[in-house]
Amino acid sequence: MKKVLCIAAMVLALVSCSRSDNPIQKREIESTKLLRKKHKIKIAVAGPWAQNRNLMLEGIDLACEQLNEEGGVLGAQIEIIKYDDNGNLEGGGKAAYQIASDNQICAVIGHPFSAISLSNSLIYHYYGLLMFSPTSTGTDLTQQGLPYVFRNIPDNDAIGIEAALFCKKSNWNRVIIYYLNNSYGEGLANVFELQCGSSSIVIPDRASYENVYGIYDYSDIAKNWKNNYVFDAVFIAGSMPQIAEIVSVFRDNGITQPIIGGDTFDISTFFTIGDNYKEDNVYCVSNFNIDSKNQKFIDFREAFIKKYGHDVDQHALQGYDALKVLVNAIGMAGSVKPDDIARALRNARIWDEGAGPYCFEENGNIKQRVLTVKKAGNGEFKAVN
C-alpha cells in the first residue's frame, strides 16, 4: 500500500511539474489569479509609439478610460501595458518576448505592421497570448492555423481586389505596380495583380523597393517609367512614411497619372511628409469613413476630439474598437483564458462598434465589412461618390 501511495505521489509530482512548465497554463493561472484577487485585467498594446506615426494609442487609451469609468468587465478594471516595437522586426521581437514574460497579461493588441505581426504571432501562440491586430492586413497572418490570432480590419485580399476593381471602373487599363519588399507589400501587390488579370488590366511593369530606399531610388524608377512606359495609373503597396515620400518624388519627376494604394495611405501624416507634395489624383482603399453615420462612430469621434483636441484617423478608430471588442469578448467568455476569449469572438453574434459590425470567421478574419475608395484633397481622404 505504501509503495502504491509513493508511486501515486511521484506521478502527481511529475504532472504538477509538467503543468508548471506549460507556458499557456502558467498564463491562465496568473491572469485568472490577477482577475479574482486584485480585480484587474492586464492587456498589452504594442507598436512604434515613440515614432508617433498615427493615433492608435490615443484611441486605445480613450477606450480604456471609458471602459473603466463604466465599471470595467467581470468586476475588474482594465490596465493597458505599453510596449514599443520600434516599427521593425528586431524591436518587434524584443517587445513580444517582454510581453510574453509577464504571465499576468492575457492578450496583446498589435502590431500595426503586418511583417511584425506575422513574426510575433508564433511567439504569442506559444506563450498563450491572444493576439488582436487592429491594422495588420497581411493575408498570411490568419492563414497559419493559429487559434489565438484575430484582426479587426479586412485583409490584403479584400483591399487588393477592391483597388483593382476601382481601376477597372475608372478605365485605368494599364497600371504599374510598386511595392515594399516584405510580406505585406508583396502579398498586397500579388492580390492586386491577380485581380487585374481577371479584369483585363495590363501590368506594364512591376518593381519593389526596400525600407532603406530614399529620394534618389524613387527618382530613378520614376524617370524610367515616365520615359519608357505607357500607363494609366500606379498602384503602391507599402507603409508610411515611405509611401508619402514616394508619391511626392513621383510627382516631382513628372508622373501625373493617378496613384492608388491600400489602407496604409489613409493616415493624417500622409499630407505632411515630402517636399512639394501634390495630392491630385491620389486614391486609397480604406476601412475608415470619416463621414460614417454610425452613432457609435459619431460618439467616439466627439469624445476623441474633446479629449485630445484634434480629429480622429483610421488607426485611432481601429485601436479604439480593438480594445472595446476584446473586452466585450472577455465579458462574454467570463474568463481571461485565451481559449475562452477566442471561442467568444468566434461564436458571438454581430455587434456594433465605431467601424461597423463585428463578426469573425473561424480563421480570425473579420467579415461583412464594407471597404471605401477615397480620394485625397484639402489635406484629407474623402470617400469617392
Side-chain angles (χ1 to χ4, degrees):
M1 184 65 178
K2 289 182 179 180
K3 186 175 181 180
V4 172
L5 290 174
C6 183
I7 292 173
M10 290 174 63
V11 170
L12 287 172
L14 286 171
V15 170
S16 176
C17 181
S18 174
R19 284 179 179 174
S20 67
D21 288 338
N22 184 323
I24 296 178
Q25 216 163 46
K26 282 182 180 179
R27 188 167 310 282
E28 290 179 348
I29 292 170
E30 293 301 318
S31 60
T32 300
K33 186 187 297 183
L34 183 70
L35 169 65
R36 291 176 178 172
K37 292 189 175 182
K38 296 191 176 181
H39 309 292
K40 186 185 294 184
I41 295 173
K42 291 171 71 171
I43 297 173
V45 296
W49 310 131
Q51 297 174 19
N52 197 28
R53 295 187 177 191
N54 55 62
L55 305 177
M56 183 185 295
L57 195 54
E58 285 91 336
I60 293 171
D61 283 341
L62 175 60
C64 184
E65 178 182 293
Q66 290 179 346
L67 286 164
N68 285 335
E69 286 178 352
E70 294 166 1
V73 63
L74 303 181
Q77 293 282 284
I78 309 301
E79 182 180 352
I80 295 297
I81 315 295
K82 299 162 189 174
Y83 295 84
D84 202 304
D85 66 12
N86 296 319
N88 58 51
L89 288 173
E90 181 180 0
K94 288 181 180 178
Y97 281 113
Q98 288 174 348
I99 293 168
S101 68
D102 186 346
N103 286 320
Q104 292 183 333
I105 295 174
C106 66
V108 55
I109 296 174
H111 300 251
F113 298 142
S114 294
I116 301 174
S117 293
L118 181 63
S119 176
N120 286 355
S121 61
L122 294 171
I123 299 173
Y124 296 139
H125 173 74
Y126 177 80
Y127 285 100
L129 278 153
L130 188 134
M131 177 183 180
F132 202 99
S133 182
T135 59
S136 294
T137 59
T139 307
D140 291 348
L141 181 62
T142 51
Q143 290 184 341
Q144 305 172 93
L146 302 180
Y148 303 151
V149 174
F150 293 83
R151 66 166 132 229
N152 63 324
I153 191 169
D155 65 9
N156 279 347
D157 285 358
I159 293 170
I161 290 171
E162 187 68 27
L165 291 175
F166 183 75
C167 289
K168 185 63 177 178
K169 179 182 178 181
S170 303
N171 293 317
W172 302 339
N173 296 315
R174 297 176 63 84
V175 183
I176 283 176
I177 297 174
Y178 197 41
Y179 68 94
L180 177 61
N181 187 24
N182 66 7
S183 59
Y184 163 76
E186 185 176 9
L188 181 56
N190 289 345
V191 173
F192 176 80
E193 185 170 5
L194 284 170
Q195 183 59 44
C196 283
S198 300
S199 302
S200 301
I201 296 174
V202 176
I203 308 298
D205 194 27
R206 168 178 165 144
S208 66
Y209 64 92
E210 303 293 337
N211 272 318
V212 295
Y213 277 17
I215 293 175
Y216 294 110
D217 303 291
Y218 309 142
S219 296
D220 286 344
I221 194 72
K223 290 172 183 176
N224 178 45
W225 285 335
K226 178 176 172 54
N227 295 330
N228 300 296
Y229 290 87
V230 176
F231 55 99
D232 301 319
V234 178
F235 177 76
I236 300 177
S239 302
M240 287 287 289
Q242 279 182 294
I243 51 176
E245 296 169 351
I246 291 169
V247 171
S248 178
V249 171
F250 279 13
R251 293 306 192 218
D252 289 341
N253 282 275
I255 292 183
T256 59
Q257 289 89 339
I259 294 174
I260 185 169
D263 67 297
T264 51
F265 277 57
D266 197 10
I267 302 173
S268 56
T269 52
F270 178 84
F271 298 93
T272 63
I273 297 173
D275 296 331
N276 303 317
Y277 175 72
K278 299 174 181 66
E279 61 186 38
D280 292 343
N281 276 334
V282 178
Y283 300 80
C284 72
V285 176
S286 178
N287 176 62
F288 177 64
N289 183 6
I290 195 73
D291 298 315
S292 171
K293 299 300 188 290
N294 181 357
Q295 191 59 48
K296 289 284 186 81
F297 173 77
I298 294 171
D299 293 344
F300 154 70
R301 188 181 183 191
E302 288 178 354
F304 189 95
I305 293 172
K306 182 178 179 180
K307 180 175 176 63
Y308 298 111
H310 55 80
D311 212 342
V312 302
D313 67 4
Q314 176 185 216
H315 285 70
L317 177 59
Q318 287 298 119
Y320 177 87
D321 272 11
L323 184 60
K324 288 272 186 163
V325 171
L326 180 57
V327 171
N328 193 327
I330 290 172
M332 293 172 64
S335 167
V336 290
K337 297 179 180 179
D339 279 331
D340 297 335
I341 302 171
R343 190 178 304 110
L345 286 168
R346 290 190 176 92
N347 294 341
R349 298 177 180 178
I350 295 176
W351 70 85
D352 202 30
E353 289 296 344
Y358 277 89
C359 187
F360 294 93
E361 298 175 356
E362 186 63 26
N363 64 3
N365 272 347
I366 190 170
K367 59 183 178 181
Q368 299 178 355
R369 180 57 55 82
V370 176
L371 288 167
T372 303
V373 178
K374 305 168 76 172
K375 185 178 182 180
N378 299 320
E380 62 180 340
F381 282 99
K382 298 286 285 185
V384 175
N385 292 329

